[in-house]
Amino acid sequence: MVLQLHVWGPAFNLPSIDAQCLAAIAYCSLTLPKGSWELVATSDPSVSPTGELPALQDDSTWVSRFRNIVDYLRQYSNGEWDLDGLLEGTARADTIAFSSFIESRGQTLIDLSLYVSSQNYYGNTSPAYGSLLQWPNQWILPPRLHSAAKARTEHLGLSSLDIQAMQEQRQREHSAAVAAGRVPKNLIPRPQDTVSKLLGRTAQHNHFRLEALTGEFFEPLEAMIGDKSYFLASSEDDSPSSLDCIALGYLSLALVPELTFPWLRDAMRTKSPHLTAYTERMRRLCFGEQPVEIAHAFSPETAPSSLLPWRAPSRISAVAVSNTLLDTLAESLPLVRTLRSHNKLKEGAQSADAGLSDMEKKIVSQAADAGKNDLYASVATVVGGLAALVGYMFYIGMIRPTGSGDEEFVEEVEGEEEASVFDAGSATDFLGAGFSGFQ
Amino acid sequence: MNPYEADPEMIPTTDLYAVVPLDGRYCPKPDDFRVDLQHVNPQATESLSYWASVVSLSTKEIRIYPADEGGRDVLALGSVIVKVQSSSGSQRIPRGSSLASTDRSIFAAATILGAFPPSTIEPAMPTPASDGSQTSSGPASFLRIPPPLKRLFDRFPLTTYPANDLPQRVPSKRADNQLFVFSDAAGAQRGRPSFNPQCLKWQAYLKFVGVDFEITPSNNHASPTGALPFLLPAFPTEAAVTIPSHKLQKWAIEQVHCEEEQQLDLRFDVYASLLDHRIRNAWLYTLYLDDANFKSVAQRLYVNPSTTSSLVRASLAFQLQQAARDELLKTASYIDVAAIEGDAQNAFEALSTLLAENEHFFGRPNPGLFDAAVFAYTHLILDEGLGWKHNRLVQMLRQHTNLVQHRERLLKFF
């Protein structure tokens, strides 16, 4: 069985739009021999049982996340497909620490650059998702990713990059002014904000914060890479490590995309020239000389040849589409969502491969059942309470079943009929006039 | 055309309300009717005849709008609005008043017929202008306090109490810097390490660099930034300036002129990310999401001291666990325990390699900020007194003897 690497699809001339996927692609292209693996731009996290991409499929085994994939490949090949096998001591510690550093800080910067900056999100990222996702995922997934990125960067206080958040804030202030001064709503001036105006106002504040953030991220990396060809290279003929793959994943997403508001790329170019050159070099080594096109991923037979072993994703079936739609619908209904989570918990516990002991299985199932019963009980309480209230209102005469409502209804219907008759008449007149004009 | 034209002569015929020139507008003129103040609270017959003449002035021409069934006519009599009970006879009875202009005064002329005793006559109360705005006069009059309610409120005794004294436990004269951390009263008195890693990091750092301070047990609600720790410096005493945790290092550097360690080694920030993400995630999982640990450690330390009500405790505990879960789900779509533990194991390994055989991190002669940050986690993980039920982190940490020894060396400071 050929290993299949499922990833988010290509965008911005890179083979994937997600940094972790880029890192996994780079790792596979450096370690795995040609023909032993395939790259599938599934762009749908629900294909993997873990619900995450990148995911490596080996027949019925699924492994997700970069580090798990690296571990799995090492075990699969008995230590042959492993970039970090020769690392020892400080180098190994550095791999761990720098990976953690790049993942945490780099993710923040990419979130800010691709998702939180409204201009870039609506101008570049959202269209890129639109072209690589299939219906109906293109309507469901990007907003979800967008809000996740916003939540991750909330603590930085850079929401002023986000025009939507700014407008909400403005609206809150506006209604507060209305409430406080009791000024008639329509008399308060309400400036229409343009993008440049908003950014102009907050640019200085943002500038300092972004300057600090990019500096903290690029400076240690620039000092680390120096003149070396790889992060952990000590001599000329050293080979790349898994750290280089992670770095390529995050740095290429910072450097390559052509964005409307390219602050991250500008910062990278000015602050870390060595790092920029290194990223370009690594990109050519792992992803090939040619920029990756969407066509590579979806119709590899007709597209110009690529270094990466693309395989077209299978067409999404009608069942999968309806499943996605149902899932999304169910997740957005408050009661159904809770019920589904309890059911899922029970299913997960009782399935054979969960690796739980009998005792644990029993406990989890009981907890799920108890949760479900709680939910039913609270629904029953609310319904009972409402019924009692309505009954009481009938009893004291606040609601009276009357016949007058019906009469009104009849009158309304009659009025509508008259109106439609009148319309028809005028239409005939009009047509008649038209005909007479022709004659 | 002036939209606020109030002179009845000047109002153009195109005006929406041209038919009722006096409604909602008032243009003062010298010959306007004004209430002769000496006849307010009338006692003499002279006054009664004065009010009778007022009644005769109320004619149809100055009517703003006619009474509907059982209502009152409203008349604009010069500077005064008069409401008249529309009786069947020709005689109109002014019965109290309301007002739509700053310049108009309110009066009640009901007493002329002796229907009410003179004491019911109320002094005028000016109300905000509503000139020219027909639409806003509706809500404005609706918002006005009805007179009976106003009388009630006027009688209501309003007393302003003096400000509360500060609680007894606040020292009357602060001699020392106060560091507010999560702690219990007994532990705070003896300066024991806090049980919150973030607080313990700064507590340890200030101790290591030699700043004198006292520990005050507190919680997040006490902090100006919403997060502990924060410091109340001894100087300046008069200004209540608090120092939040992200400015503590700068403050300490100003106080004792220690080094800013981030500048000395490029690996500082890089290895600090191990503590801030990988080890912190494992800590969040072990303390809050492992049910056995949560009940015996987190609930006892964070939830139980704040209240005795079991209902509030349950809700607080749920909130704590939910917050931890949300934090972990920010970076992943599901909580993968094996991955979290694997990451923590790698992180400890990297830290152990970084420390090597040195006394302190980065080979410094004295412990510093990085040592404090590592100690904050290693001490709490290794602390048997917290009552861990199920602690995988201890097993991982014990494999690295230099980290365990590092913790024991630093524990001597407390």
Side-chain angles (χ1 to χ4, degrees), chain A residues 50-52 65 67-68 89-90 92-94 96-98 100-101 103-104 151-152 182 220 223, chain B residues 143 266-267 269-271 273-274 277-278 330-334 336 339 343 346-347 349-350 353:
Chain A
T50 56
E52 282 182 332
R65 295 190 191 179
R67 265 193 301 287
N68 297 346
T90 326
R92 189 170 152 72
D94 275 346
I96 298 166
F98 275 91
S100 157
F101 178 74
E103 280 178 5
S104 54
R152 276 197 295 269
R182 278 197 284 163
Chain B
L143 287 169
L266 76 100
R267 283 188 168 77
D269 275 338
V270 177
Y271 278 78
S273 80
L274 287 175
H277 294 93
R278 300 206 174 172
K330 262 186 190 174
T331 48
S333 63
Y334 73 107
D336 182 350
D343 282 351
N346 283 338
E349 186 191 331
T353 314

Side-chain angles (χ1 to χ4, degrees), chain B residues 289-305:
Chain B
L289 298 185
D290 187 307
D291 262 334
N293 285 334
F294 183 77
K295 288 222 171 64
S296 73
V297 186
Q299 191 140 17
R300 183 172 61 79
L301 294 175
Y302 289 101
V303 177
N304 292 358

Side-chain angles (χ1 to χ4, degrees), chain A residues 43-63:
Chain A
S43 307
D44 183 4
S46 63
V47 295
S48 148
T50 56
E52 282 182 332
L53 292 177
L56 187 74
Q57 184 189 11
D58 175 18
D59 215 357
S60 65
T61 314
W62 288 83
V63 187

Side-chain angles (χ1 to χ4, degrees), chain A residues 74-221:
Chain A
R74 181 172 50 238
Q75 289 164 15
Y76 182 86
S77 64
N78 290 324
E80 192 190 331
W81 297 340
D82 182 12
L83 291 182
D84 300 342
L86 298 172
L87 298 178
E88 269 176 3
T90 326
R92 189 170 152 72
D94 275 346
T95 316
I96 298 166
F98 275 91
S99 301
S100 157
F101 178 74
I102 292 175
E103 280 178 5
S104 54
R105 299 287 178 92
Q107 187 63 51
T108 313
L109 287 175
I110 285 168
D111 282 342
L112 285 175
S113 157
L114 291 184
Y115 298 91
V116 178
S117 305
S118 292
Q119 283 166 307
N120 293 345
Y121 179 72
Y122 292 110
N124 306 95
T125 316
S126 189
Y129 272 113
S131 60
L132 68 91
L133 293 177
Q134 288 171 325
W135 188 89
N137 276 341
Q138 49 187 222
W139 300 107
I140 298 165
L141 292 176
R144 211 179 275 170
L145 297 166
H146 189 198
S147 54
K150 278 190 197 178
R152 276 197 295 269
T153 51
E154 208 171 21
H155 63 282
L156 294 169
L158 276 164
S159 60
S160 51
L161 287 172
D162 182 7
I163 292 169
Q164 215 175 331
M166 283 288 273
Q167 256 162 8
E168 274 165 26
Q169 165 96 12
R170 215 161 275 282
Q171 229 147 38
R172 269 200 300 280
E173 279 166 11
H174 181 82
S175 48
V178 171
R182 278 197 284 163
V183 185
K185 241 184 202 154
N186 43 6
L187 290 185
I188 295 183
R190 185 190 214 159
Q192 279 297 314
D193 284 312
T194 58
V195 172
S196 54
K197 202 169 156 196
L198 268 176
L199 289 167
R201 195 175 311 144
T202 53
Q204 277 141 343
H205 170 76
N206 281 345
H207 197 78
F208 284 121
R209 295 281 293 123
L210 290 178
E211 191 73 12
L213 278 175
T214 50
E216 280 170 10
F217 180 58
F218 290 126
E219 274 159 23
L221 295 178

